[in-house]
Amino acid sequence: MPQLANRTLASVAGSDYRGWREWIPDGIFVNLGTNDYCCGHAPDAVDFARGYLDFAQRLAGKYGVGPSAMPFFLGVGPMTMAYNQSAHLAAEMMASAGFDRVHVVKQALLTPGETGCHGHPNVVGHARMADEIGSVVGRVLGW
């Protein structure tokens, strides 16, 4: 994902977004790990966490802000919790690197009624995810 984050269209090389500093978000929510920790394989937790830290530093740099300028939300779930410990380790590494507003947001696993194609969330699952994420982000940002 970090390799594609600059693109406005993930599958189109050269579609890099250039307006990073035209506006600064109130916070950044990232959920990485579902595909890394699926199908019987998992990266080394320290390597994963270092990659997350590097990605967060790159994002802050793109916006031209320091690590404490905005909260970072690291999502876990709702398709698997296999990367929960690695996400927490990433949050610890980020805090040590000056990101003083890091929040791990643990989402409940999807139920059968909330899934669609290949276990991905359907409209019901997405609505529940939005409610869960929105309540945490809203509380932190004072919305």
Side-chain angles (χ1 to χ4, degrees):
M1 186 54 67
Q3 296 85 347
L4 302 177
N6 290 336
R7 295 182 182 180
T8 56
L9 301 170
S11 62
V12 179
S15 66
D16 292 351
Y17 181 67
R18 302 197 195 310
W20 291 99
R21 297 187 185 193
E22 292 177 10
W23 65 278
I24 306 297
D26 293 331
I28 294 177
F29 189 100
V30 178
N31 188 336
L32 297 176
T34 299
N35 291 332
D36 301 283
Y37 285 85
C38 83
C39 314
H41 60 81
D44 177 77
V46 173
D47 289 342
F48 179 84
R50 282 188 186 130
Y52 225 129
L53 170 60
D54 180 60
F55 186 46
Q57 289 170 325
R58 283 182 42 213
L59 283 174
K62 291 284 188 187
Y63 287 111
V65 299
S68 63
M70 68 185 80
F72 274 76
F73 302 91
L74 310 184
V76 176
M79 294 175 66
T80 179
M81 295 295 171
Y83 57 102
N84 183 45
Q85 289 181 326
S86 296
H88 279 86
L89 180 58
E92 291 171 16
M93 285 184 176
M94 290 172 69
S96 294
F99 289 84
D100 59 358
R101 297 163 58 186
V102 179
H103 306 270
V104 177
V105 181
K106 203 169 160 183
Q107 301 168 75
L109 289 171
L110 295 169
T111 65
E114 296 174 323
T115 60
C117 181
H118 299 290
H120 288 87
N122 61 18
V123 69
V124 174
H126 278 290
R128 197 241 318 141
M129 290 166 54
D131 288 343
E132 286 178 343
I133 294 166
S135 68
V136 174
V137 171
R139 179 179 41 80
V140 170
L141 296 178
W143 292 348

